[in-house]
Amino acid sequence: MDGSLNNARPWTAGIAFGLLWFLMGGFLPVHAATAPAAAPAASGQRFATVFRIRGDLTAAGSGGERKLREGDVVQVGEKVRAPALAEAVLKTDDAGMVAVRPGTEFVAERFAAEDKPTDSFSVRLLTGSLRVISGWISRTNRAGHTVVTPTSTIGIRGTDHEPYVLSAELAASTGNKEGTYDKVNRGGTTMRVGENTLDIDAGRVGFVRAPAKPDAEKKSGFRERALLTILLPVLLDKVPNFYVPGEFDAELDRYSQTADEDSQRQLEQRRKSPPPPVRGSAPTKAPAAVSPAPTSVPAAPAAPAAKTTAIATAAPTPAPAAAIAGCEPTAIAKSWLEQLDAAIVRRDAAGIVALFAPEAAVRATVRGNEGRMTSVDLSRDELAASTLAAMAGLTDYKQRRVWIEGKPAGATCDRIGVRSVAIEQGRQSGKPYRFEALEEYVIELRGGKWLATKAETTQQ
């Protein structure tokens, strides 16, 4: 990728620019930035079925907003809203439960219950509270079971827990602090903010404070305030007073006692049952093409291999040697960066976000006053918003990527480390700048798509 500085593709290294400009006095405060508003799009992927409901809950997606009723299906990508006097219980296909509390908004960003290592449950809680009783995804892919809030990411350890995003208004009325809370009823969870984690056991409550508002921040030349908003999760001494049982909690309490056994039983039944025929294919051939090996018989690699590409690892028993032998990590890295670059030139915040995992950790490090290096962590939404805002005022832009490198990050080719050095210069809001940055990513193959779980850019 060597080449002279040119302005033919002013977006190629835009991620580095967006992060670094953001730290050096850019547009959006950390944690306050959000992607441009857009109607959530339903993916057609089933998330859950309405099991119990009281009041007027709605689900909004690309097809508009609809009122939910018992038995309705909620799809991935739909925004579910429960007004002040409404609540519901949703049942997921892995035998899990999600209770939606009054005054709550959330989006199911990813869900797959296929008895594969790529199984996932990812919910973005915007405001209000959920009670989540995990199903068998907590065993097939525990790392893929997360609840993302404006200030933290919550992982699980076989769990019945209640994440709560407390608004400023409710915080003031209840005498509590604004931020994210997580009460664990059974099992355990882990709250993560950047590289900082806190394990929460049953009977305890974790808390991450919301950041200070912009008018309370320091307004010095170099924005040290960014670091002040990276707050550590802490354990509380007692359960806050705003945690109250919902109308269906007595039923959920009973279900929670046997949830692990019930979900495991459903998973075993799934493994014993033949898969449904593939629509549009011959009934006699579909089972041979997609049927997984029974749990009581050693897995035969021949059938999965027919559905696996050189870089895919979705089969239950991949062959590491063959995967690495056919792996082209640098080509994969270049392809992923091209997708990212294309989303930036389109000013497509949703497209940028779609290339990052919900729990993605993003960090930028810049050289500040007196040569001191300073770092700040962002969410994937903040990354998209800061990048697009920075690019909006950019003129006379020139850049080049000195090199791009990709290397496998494990025994198979489903996790790749990406490194690239970018040199950029131009004018931002009339002010000239020039810098060189090292960009580093970790991308993982999930459901046939490469997603970044880690992104870091460092000013050289």
Side-chain angles (χ1 to χ4, degrees), residues 1-3 400-404 420-423 436:
M1 295 298 293
D2 291 328
R400 66 183 172 103
R401 286 192 183 274
V402 179
W403 52 265
I404 298 174
S420 178
V421 170
I423 299 176
E436 178 179 334

Side-chain angles (χ1 to χ4, degrees), residues 246-335:
E247 179 172 327
F248 307 109
D249 270 33
E251 186 175 5
L252 289 171
D253 289 342
R254 291 191 297 271
Y255 183 81
S256 182
Q257 293 175 10
T258 60
D260 291 344
E261 294 82 356
D262 291 344
S263 63
Q264 182 63 34
R265 188 161 47 248
Q266 179 173 314
L267 178 58
E268 291 173 355
Q269 182 62 39
R270 174 191 174 92
R271 289 170 174 171
K272 294 176 182 178
S273 302
V278 177
R279 182 176 297 177
S281 62
T284 57
K285 296 183 178 180
V290 300
S291 177
T295 55
S296 60
V297 180
K307 304 296 291 183
T308 305
T309 65
I311 61 173
T313 58
T317 55
I324 291 294
C327 179
E328 298 182 1
T330 297
I332 294 170
K334 290 180 179 179
S335 175

Side-chain angles (χ1 to χ4, degrees), residues 5 12-14 16-17 20 397 399-403 419-425 435-439 457-458 460:
L5 287 170
T12 302
F17 171 77
L20 294 174
Y397 186 88
Q399 64 77 34
R400 66 183 172 103
R401 286 192 183 274
V402 179
W403 52 265
R419 303 179 79 223
S420 178
V421 170
I423 299 176
E424 308 181 35
Q425 68 184 53
F435 61 74
E436 178 179 334
L438 171 65
E439 300 175 42
T457 182
T458 304
Q460 301 298 291

Side-chain angles (χ1 to χ4, degrees), residues 30-46:
V30 173
H31 292 307
T34 57
S43 67
Q45 172 67 43
R46 176 191 180 101

Side-chain angles (χ1 to χ4, degrees), residues 163-373:
Y164 203 129
V165 175
L166 193 69
S167 66
E169 294 76 15
L170 189 56
S173 64
T174 60
N176 294 282
K177 296 175 181 177
E178 180 186 0
T180 296
Y181 296 76
D182 191 41
K183 178 169 77 76
V184 177
N185 302 318
R186 177 181 57 80
T189 63
T190 299
M191 297 186 82
R192 183 171 68 249
V193 180
E195 296 181 356
N196 303 298
T197 61
L198 173 70
D199 290 339
I200 309 167
D201 296 323
R204 303 301 302 272
V205 180
F207 171 64
V208 177
R209 185 194 301 265
K213 297 297 185 291
D215 57 2
E217 296 167 347
K218 295 173 63 176
K219 297 182 179 179
S220 58
F222 183 79
R223 296 198 171 185
E224 303 263 355
R225 62 175 173 77
L227 296 180
L228 300 179
T229 63
I230 304 175
L231 304 174
L232 301 180
V234 297
L235 284 174
L236 302 182
D237 294 332
K238 60 181 181 180
V239 177
N241 56 2
F242 51 79
Y243 272 108
V244 294
E247 179 172 327
F248 307 109
D249 270 33
E251 186 175 5
L252 289 171
D253 289 342
R254 291 191 297 271
Y255 183 81
S256 182
Q257 293 175 10
T258 60
D260 291 344
E261 294 82 356
D262 291 344
S263 63
Q264 182 63 34
R265 188 161 47 248
Q266 179 173 314
L267 178 58
E268 291 173 355
Q269 182 62 39
R270 174 191 174 92
R271 289 170 174 171
K272 294 176 182 178
S273 302
V278 177
R279 182 176 297 177
S281 62
T284 57
K285 296 183 178 180
V290 300
S291 177
T295 55
S296 60
V297 180
K307 304 296 291 183
T308 305
T309 65
I311 61 173
T313 58
T317 55
I324 291 294
C327 179
E328 298 182 1
T330 297
I332 294 170
K334 290 180 179 179
S335 175
W336 186 84
L337 286 171
E338 286 175 359
Q339 294 179 61
L340 185 63
D341 297 341
I344 293 172
V345 73
R346 295 194 308 266
R347 304 294 194 264
D348 181 4
I352 296 173
V353 167
L355 291 168
F356 288 78
E359 74 279 10
V362 182
R363 167 166 291 190
T365 302
V366 301
R367 193 177 307 280
N369 296 333
E370 300 177 355
R372 182 165 55 91
M373 301 300 290

